[in-house]
Amino acid sequence: MSLLLLYNFGTNQKSVPVTLKVAVSGSGNKILGAVDSFAINVLGINAAVFYQQYFVSLGISRNKTVVVAITVASTALFSLTKLVSKILSFASISTVSVSKAVSKILSFASISTVSVSKAVSKFISVVSTATNSIVKSVMHYVSTVVSSSTASLVNLPNKLLSVISSSAVSVGRAIGKIIATSAEHMIVVLTNTATHLIGFAVLVTSTPVIQKSFGKFLSILSISSVSILKGFFRTLSFVATSTSNITHSLVKLISVAVSSTVSVIKNFFYSRLLSITSISIASIVKATNKTLLVISTAITSSVNQVKKILKIVSTSTSSLVAEFVKIYGAVALYTFIVPSKKLKATIVKALNLIMTKGQ
Amino acid sequence: MAESFSYKITTESELLTFDFGQVLSASETISTAVCTIIVLNGVDSSPSSMLIGSAVISNQTASQRVANGVDSVTYRLVMTITTSQGNTYVGLGDLDVYTSADVL
């Protein structure tokens, strides 16, 4: 049985009840008494809101609409609250707001603000030319966000998240197996992404900031600053043309290639390999690695490195302070300074000093 | 020029000894010994808390027990002694402190 939903749309009025009708083939129009098991198609030219009583009005939203499928095309404000549906689809040229919607599929296409809160969907797709905000959404499968402006994603447990934005992208506490964030122009901020990420890729032309990320793989390609704080990765790869900062990261493999300053601070890595290629300053402090390789054309500074193999190739000043290395090799083309402190851990303790005078 | 003791792990408690045997004459003995400690590199707002008890005199040596310390800080022990012949000598000993995780 094919169903077609018809409706009357009140214009320039608020809270105008609209009788929803359904056309059943061969039996004429019928007033829709319940929509729990039917599809609803709404083409709104003004603000439209679903009521539990199946109204369409201009203003305040109501809750707990239960439908199988909802398709909305609106030219004005749209607000849906506590929708339980299998398929929810929007096409709007104005603001779209969805709160506590439980859908298997949630799809947006908007040229204005899109806001999704506590949506439970297996699939969510958002295409917007303005601000996107998705908060506490639980999605099983694929999430795609395409935005030409700010995109903000908070508490997203996804298996796959893909974000393409030409402006700021913010992802907080996302839990996904695979997350791919691609931002073409502006800032990317990833905060508290306590994730079990298998793959995580960031492509930006500006500053990416990642805090407290847990992933198996992280790849960042940036033409500006890169900053990672407290990331726990198996593989971390950087390609940046500007400043890079890595702090408190636990990784097995870290590779950094930048054309500007590189700073690695207090990385208590269980890294098997740390490789840094920089044409500017490279500074590494308190990194614990098995292998460290630094290639720099400018100043290289390594402090308190504990590792088995350290190799530094520098075309400028190299400074190694308080190093403990088992195998130590270094090549410096210009200046090379190794303080007389311990380059190798001693086994026999020297607890007695023999005082001499003028000798 | 100051000599260096072997590095100390923060959890170790060690008796560090200054041997003035090559400075003192055969019959000269140490009358008093006072040990102080300063920070050479790093930050430790209370380095004196590393000194456990007072300096101990034994023939021509003076010893001081040290414990604790801050990771990656270099300390200098300054042992000042007076002798039975009225001489005053100062022995300097540098001490690096690390955590056990810093040393392979």
Side-chain angles (χ1 to χ4, degrees), chain A residues 64-95:
Chain A
K64 296 180 180 177
T65 303
V66 181
V67 292
V68 173
I70 293 179
T71 300
V72 177
S74 172
T75 58
L77 172 67
F78 225 105
S79 177
L80 300 178
T81 303
K82 292 184 178 178
L83 289 168
V84 181
S85 59
K86 287 186 176 179
I87 300 175
L88 178 60
S89 176
F90 288 96
S92 172
I93 61 173
S94 184
T95 303

Side-chain angles (χ1 to χ4, degrees), chain B residues 4-104:
Chain B
S4 295
F5 295 103
S6 292
Y7 68 86
K8 188 183 88 67
I9 304 301
T10 54
T11 54
E12 288 181 322
S13 175
E14 297 174 340
L15 186 64
L16 304 180
T17 301
F18 292 81
D19 187 348
F20 291 89
Q22 295 190 23
V23 179
L24 306 182
S25 62
S27 60
E28 191 175 18
T29 58
I30 298 176
S31 302
T32 63
V34 176
C35 186
T36 60
I37 189 169
I38 60 176
V39 174
L40 286 186
N41 290 313
V43 177
D44 185 352
S45 59
S46 58
S48 59
S49 62
M50 290 183 65
L51 301 179
I52 307 300
S54 302
V56 177
I57 300 171
S58 177
N59 297 321
Q60 293 184 327
T61 67
S63 301
Q64 175 66 52
R65 179 165 293 279
V66 296
N68 302 317
V70 177
D71 177 32
S72 301
V73 173
T74 301
Y75 299 89
R76 171 167 290 177
L77 279 78
V78 181
M79 181 68 77
T80 304
I81 64 167
T82 59
T83 70
S84 58
Q85 295 181 6
N87 295 318
T88 300
Y89 295 108
V90 176
L92 303 178
D94 293 347
L95 177 66
D96 293 326
V97 174
Y98 300 102
T99 64
S100 56
D102 287 339
V103 182
L104 288 179

Side-chain angles (χ1 to χ4, degrees), chain A residues 42-300:
Chain A
V42 176
L43 300 175
I45 59 173
N46 279 311
V49 179
F50 281 103
Y51 277 19
Q52 187 176 8
Q53 291 82 7
Y54 317 116
F55 298 159
V56 176
S57 72
L58 297 177
I60 304 170
S61 64
R62 292 289 296 273
N63 298 333
K64 296 180 180 177
T65 303
V66 181
V67 292
V68 173
I70 293 179
T71 300
V72 177
S74 172
T75 58
L77 172 67
F78 225 105
S79 177
L80 300 178
T81 303
K82 292 184 178 178
L83 289 168
V84 181
S85 59
K86 287 186 176 179
I87 300 175
L88 178 60
S89 176
F90 288 96
S92 172
I93 61 173
S94 184
T95 303
V96 174
S97 176
V98 177
S99 178
K100 296 181 179 178
V102 181
S103 306
K104 283 187 176 179
I105 298 176
L106 178 60
S107 177
F108 289 100
S110 172
I111 62 172
S112 184
T113 303
V114 174
S115 177
V116 180
S117 177
K118 295 181 178 178
V120 180
S121 305
K122 284 189 174 180
F123 176 84
I124 181 170
S125 174
V126 177
V127 178
S128 172
T129 58
T131 303
N132 289 321
S133 177
I134 301 176
V135 181
K136 292 182 178 178
S137 298
V138 179
M139 286 149 284
H140 285 170
Y141 297 123
V142 181
S143 296
T144 302
V145 178
V146 179
S147 172
S148 61
S149 184
T150 303
S152 177
L153 310 174
V154 181
N155 289 335
L156 297 167
N158 300 311
K159 286 186 177 178
L160 174 61
L161 173 64
S162 175
V163 178
I164 300 175
S165 172
S166 60
S167 184
V169 174
S170 175
V171 179
R173 295 184 182 178
I175 299 174
K177 287 188 175 179
I178 299 175
I179 179 171
T181 300
S182 177
E184 294 182 350
H185 298 294
M186 290 292 290
I187 299 172
V188 172
V189 179
L190 303 175
T191 305
N192 292 328
T193 53
T195 58
H196 301 88
L197 303 178
I198 292 178
F200 183 66
V202 178
L203 172 62
V204 294
T205 57
S206 185
T207 306
V209 178
I210 300 173
Q211 295 179 333
K212 293 181 179 178
S213 297
F214 301 81
K216 290 184 177 179
F217 174 78
L218 173 63
S219 177
I220 294 178
L221 175 60
S222 171
I223 62 171
S224 185
S225 299
V226 174
S227 180
I228 294 182
L229 304 177
K230 294 182 178 178
F232 301 82
F233 307 102
R234 285 189 178 177
T235 303
L236 175 63
S237 177
F238 279 102
V239 178
T241 58
S242 186
T243 304
S244 296
N245 290 299
I246 305 171
T247 305
H248 289 122
S249 296
L250 295 171
V251 293
K252 283 189 175 178
L253 173 64
I254 180 171
S255 176
V256 179
V258 296
S259 58
S260 185
T261 303
V262 173
S263 178
V264 180
I265 302 174
K266 289 184 177 177
N267 287 292
F268 299 99
F269 301 139
Y270 299 101
S271 298
R272 291 184 177 175
L273 174 64
L274 172 62
S275 175
I276 295 178
T277 303
S278 171
I279 62 173
S280 185
I281 299 172
S283 176
I284 302 169
V285 181
K286 290 184 176 177
T288 305
N289 306 300
K290 286 187 176 178
T291 303
L292 172 65
L293 173 63
V294 178
I295 300 175
S296 173
T297 58
I299 298 173
T300 300

